[in-house]
Amino acid sequence: MIKRIVYISKSTINFNSNELRQLATRASECNKQFDITGYLYFEKNHFLQYIEGEKDVINTLINNIKNDKRHEVLNVQENKDSSNRKFPTWHMHQLTKSSLIQINMENILMDYMTYNHTGISSESIWRMIDKLSKFRKKLSYSL
Ligand SMILES: Cc1cc2nc3c(=O)[nH]c(=O)nc-3n(C[C@H](O)[C@H](O)[C@H](O)COP(=O)(O)O)c2cc1C
């Protein structure tokens, strides 16, 4: 069984594009070792990150991430029942606005999770994640 987590956080420091790239590269290297896949999106001082993998490694990673002083985690959604990965080739893919030009789904998801904690059902969030995975192959920077 694959455990999947999506969360939103607010950065506590100013990240420039180099620092963001470094963060995603380092995350990707570490995630490879533990067979964790997912993506990271940054916009307006907020991160949206989706991670998937074996239960124990995901629990350890989310604890590390929550303790990371470079951001404050605001909203975490967990889903334990997936039998397959949605983003098997992305160890930690840095999604950029240009790679999302065809779909504005991440912004929508981010807005929901930031401003509307109570108004959206957990099922809607997971439906959006599944939709995004169907678009994955269309994204230009998909490797
Ligand atoms: C927004 C954000 C996303 C992160 N994503 C990952 C990740 O996917 N994988 C990872 O190993 N570390 C990630 N990190 C870094 C972890 O918080 C932590 O620094 C890392 O696991 C190393 O922990 P350690 O120094 O205690 O070994 C992320 C940090 C931030 C701020």
Side-chain angles (χ1 to χ4, degrees), residues 7 23 27 30-31 47 49 61 64-65 68 70-71 92:
Y7 75 84
L23 177 78
C30 293
N31 292 351
F47 288 104
Q49 190 176 27
L61 177 59
N64 282 346
I65 286 174
D68 197 315
R70 293 173 289 178
H71 68 165
M92 192 41 59

Side-chain angles (χ1 to χ4, degrees), residues 17 20-21 39-46 48 90 93-108 110-111 132 138-141:
S17 54
L20 280 175
R21 211 177 11 254
Y39 59 84
L40 182 67
Y41 182 63
F42 184 76
E43 176 75 18
K44 294 182 204 146
N45 292 324
H46 285 76
L48 175 79
W90 291 355
H93 183 69
Q94 194 187 351
L95 281 181
T96 60
K97 233 180 184 162
S98 58
S99 67
L100 285 170
I101 208 95
Q102 299 159 74
I103 41 163
N104 207 15
M105 200 107 61
E106 292 309 279
N107 272 344
I108 298 168
M110 207 163 193
D111 280 352
L132 179 70
K138 288 190 185 172
L139 297 179
S140 34
Y141 308 113

Side-chain angles (χ1 to χ4, degrees), residues 2 5 32 40 43 59 71 78 113 117 121 126 136:
I2 294 294
I5 291 184
K32 240 180 224 167
L40 182 67
E43 176 75 18
N59 287 341
H71 68 165
E78 299 194 8
M113 290 182 71
H117 291 199
S121 67
W126 290 105
R136 180 171 53 93

